[in-house]
Every structure is written in structure tokens, then in C-alpha cells.
Amino acid sequence: MSEAPGGRRSTARRAVLCSVADQGVAALTNIAVLVVAARQSTAAGFAVFSVVYTVFAVLLGLSSAYVGQALVLERGETRAVRTACRSAVAFTASAAAALGACAVLVLGPLTAGVGAGGGVSGGVDGYGQRLADGMLALALVLPVVLTQDALRYAFSALRLPGRALIADLLRLAVAVPVLAVQPHQASPARLVAVWGLSALPALVAGLLLLAPRVRQATTEPRRLLRRGHLGRRFAVEFSVGNAGTQLAVIGLGLLAAPLAVGALRGATTLFGPLNVLFNAATGFGPPLLNRLDSPAPKARTAAVTGGVLAAVAGAWAVVLTLLPDGAGRMLLGDTWDASSALLSATGSQYAAMALGTCALLALRVLRPRTTLPLQVVFSSVSVGCLLAGYALGGVFGAAWGLFAGSAAKAAAGWLRAAAVVRTPAGHATGVSAASAADPAGRS
């Protein structure tokens, strides 16, 4: 017997709510991990942890783009989707283990062992050694954290977001208390190792929840290496859209000012809740915009959404700026002093990011082929602004450089969207129809 329309709508609503809740839990875990790590570290120790965590963020983004975003677009028979899910999880585990093993071979001789000792010095002496220790710890836990994240996309492809939510709630429930009980001024390597291993219960739970659904499916990890795999395009878009700036921040920590990375990471952590809103707009915006009939209303709706998100970012920046120093130190520990000076710049950056996110959202619906060139050009501009800002004004200048890059990208995006809206109606409608058929923007 087929499910009644009311039942289908109720199921769809539950799926959407679980998906949004899962995004929120994942973002909250990220924020909580950084806040607790900052509280448990000195400013120098958190600087090292921030560089290692930024490396992880780049690897996670590439994994999500190459494996996860392609996986959730799988269509067809149930058996085919289950095979894709099982293959994606196996590929992620294997690739992460291989990458981690290579890193261990390189970093092992440079370190005296992970987790030996609990303290770090207050300055930056020995920074290279502590960074090598932290990177080695990341290499050892990389298969755990990346595979656990891949399970989220498998559950999404199987239309079981509630199971992803269960695993991520367990991840949050374990990670924060385990980090919080570490000794004060614990070494970055110890914090990275504890953070990574805290994902084991969520990984095991996720595998147990997934197993009944994929038990009869085959495992074909090589399918992700075939020519034409969509993950290649998504990985390129991530690389030019996000990884460039992240790598520039890593370079800043390696070559110039380690403490600057900790200050920037601390400031952006405080704005973490806004990332949930940005992700929700990106994830649920295209289907809603495609319900509108013509390009102009779609662009206006995206612009209003961007304005609202930018206002929220500005209001949140004001709240954080007015936060007493005592409360700030409760959040970020010794890192608060450096991060608090960057709140106005980071708040401005997030307001610009809100406008830019919605500009790309509009273009993704109106003319998807225009987003990749914008990402390529203005991600390079953002890296240049970051480095130029640091050269002119240190970490304060770097923060304003990030704002300048985000503002330029937003301005270019909306200028391009306006040009698309002015395109003759017949041509624009054709593009919009193609976008509606393929929200991912494949060309």
C-alpha cells in the first residue's frame, strides 16, 4: 500500500528537520571543540592547535566535496544507492588511512611521540616541534574523523538523516567532556589526539546503524576513481572557493606569525553559529528559489535573504564586542586578548560573506556556469588581500584583508547576478530551467 500524501509530507518535514538539526549539531561540535581547546591551552598552544585544525578543515572539505557531495546526488534503484554508500565509506577510510600512513612516515622521525607531556611553553620557542607533534597526531586519527563524517552523507543519500543526527549527537556528547577534562595547558598534540579518538563511539554507532541498510550491497571503492566522477568537479570548486584562503592561513602560521592563526581562528570560532545559517541557505535555498517563476523575483529573494543574514552578522558582532573581558576569557582563555581585537573586522567579514553566499546562491539557480569563474578569481583576490593586509598591519590587517576579499567577491557576485537578470527573458528562462533540473550546477 502506498503512503498517503499527508504521511509523505510529514516524513519529508521530519527529514528536513533532522537534516537542519544535524547541520546545527555538527557546527556546534566544531565550535565547542575550538572553545574548549582554547580554554585548555596557552595562546601559543592554541596557535599550534589552530594550524593543525585548519589543515584538517581543508582535508575534510576536500573529502566532503569529492565523496560526500557526489554521493548525495546518487539516483536510481535502491541497490545502486546502497552500493554507492558502502563504496564511499570504504573509499574514505582507505584514502584517509593511506594519507595518514604517508604523513606518519614523514613526521615520525621528527617527533618524540604523541601525547608525551602535558604542557607547552608560553612563547613560540619549539613551535616547529609542537607543530610536527600535532600533525602526527592528526595523521593517526585522520581515518576515524573522516570516515565518521562520510557516514553523514551516506545516511543523507539513503534518506535517513535521523541516523546521522544520532551519531553526531554522540560525537558532541563525547568530544566536549573528554577535551574538557584534559589538564590545563595540555600540549596541542594531546588535544588533537583526544579530539580525534573521541569520534570513535560515533563512528562505531554510525557503522552499526548503516550496516543493516548496506549488508546486501557490494563494495566498489574504485568507482570513485573513474573518469567523470562528479566529485572531481566539486573538489575543484572547493579548492578554488575555500581551500585557497585556508592554505594561506596555514602558510601564515608556518612562515610568518603562528600566534596570528590562533587569533584569527579564535575570532572566527565566535561567529561559528552563522555558518549554520549560511549552510542552511545554501542547502535549502535552490529548491525554494526555483519555485519562483522568473529570474528577477529569484534574485530579489536571494538579495533579501543576504541582507537579513548580513544584519544578523552585524548584530552578533555588536553582542560579542560588548562582551566583558571576563566572559571572553571564559570562552577562549588566553586567546581572547588577541581575538577580541579582531571582532569588528571578523564581523564585517561575515556580513560580507552573507551577501556573497546569497549572490552565489542566486547565480547557482539562474546560471550555474558563472559560479566557478567567480570562485577562481575572487578566491585568489581574497588570498592576496589576506597577505597584503598582514604585510601592512599584522594580524589586524590580515583580518581586514579577509573582509576586503569577501566584500569584493560579494560585489562581483551581485553585479553578475544583476547582469543575468537583465538578460533577455527567453535566454534567462532556459538557463533557469536547466538549473532547476540540476541544482548542483553541473555543466
Side-chain angles (χ1 to χ4, degrees), residues 397-438:
W400 281 109
L402 289 171
F403 158 72
S406 296
K409 188 174 182 178
W414 281 113
L415 287 173
R416 190 72 183 92
V420 170
V421 170
R422 290 195 296 269
T423 302
H427 180 64
T429 301
V431 173
S432 181
S435 301
D438 186 2

Side-chain angles (χ1 to χ4, degrees), residues 305-326:
T305 303
V308 171
L309 291 177
V312 171
W316 186 241
V318 171
V319 171
L320 292 175
T321 302
L322 297 177
L323 199 66
D325 286 342

Side-chain angles (χ1 to χ4, degrees), residues 108-270:
L110 301 178
T111 66
V114 177
V120 295
S121 63
V124 295
D125 293 339
Y127 169 74
Q129 181 66 50
R130 294 198 302 276
L131 181 59
D133 289 345
M135 293 299 296
L136 178 58
L138 176 63
L140 293 173
V141 301
L142 197 60
V144 176
V145 291
L146 289 187
T147 306
Q148 192 268 325
D149 187 76
L151 290 172
R152 299 173 60 229
Y153 293 94
F155 287 126
S156 178
L158 293 170
R159 300 181 182 180
L160 297 170
R163 301 193 180 191
L165 178 58
I166 291 172
D168 283 338
L169 282 170
L170 181 58
R171 174 81 169 104
L172 175 62
V174 174
V176 174
V178 168
L179 280 171
V181 298
Q182 299 306 304
H184 185 57
Q185 298 188 5
S187 69
R190 177 172 180 153
L191 293 177
V192 171
V194 168
W195 158 77
L197 292 175
S198 70
L200 274 173
L203 173 61
V204 172
L207 290 173
L208 291 175
L209 291 170
L210 181 67
R213 294 286 180 164
V214 300
R215 184 171 290 117
Q216 303 301 322
T218 57
T219 305
E220 303 172 5
R222 291 185 179 180
R223 63 187 286 158
L224 282 84
L225 299 175
R226 294 172 184 167
R227 179 177 296 181
H229 177 59
L230 282 175
R232 296 183 181 184
R233 176 187 176 95
F234 297 141
V236 170
E237 287 207 21
F238 169 79
S239 298
V240 300
N242 298 285
T245 304
Q246 299 264 35
L247 291 174
V249 172
I250 294 170
L252 194 66
L254 294 176
L255 304 175
L259 293 176
V261 181
L264 290 170
R265 175 62 73 178
T268 56
T269 297
L270 296 175

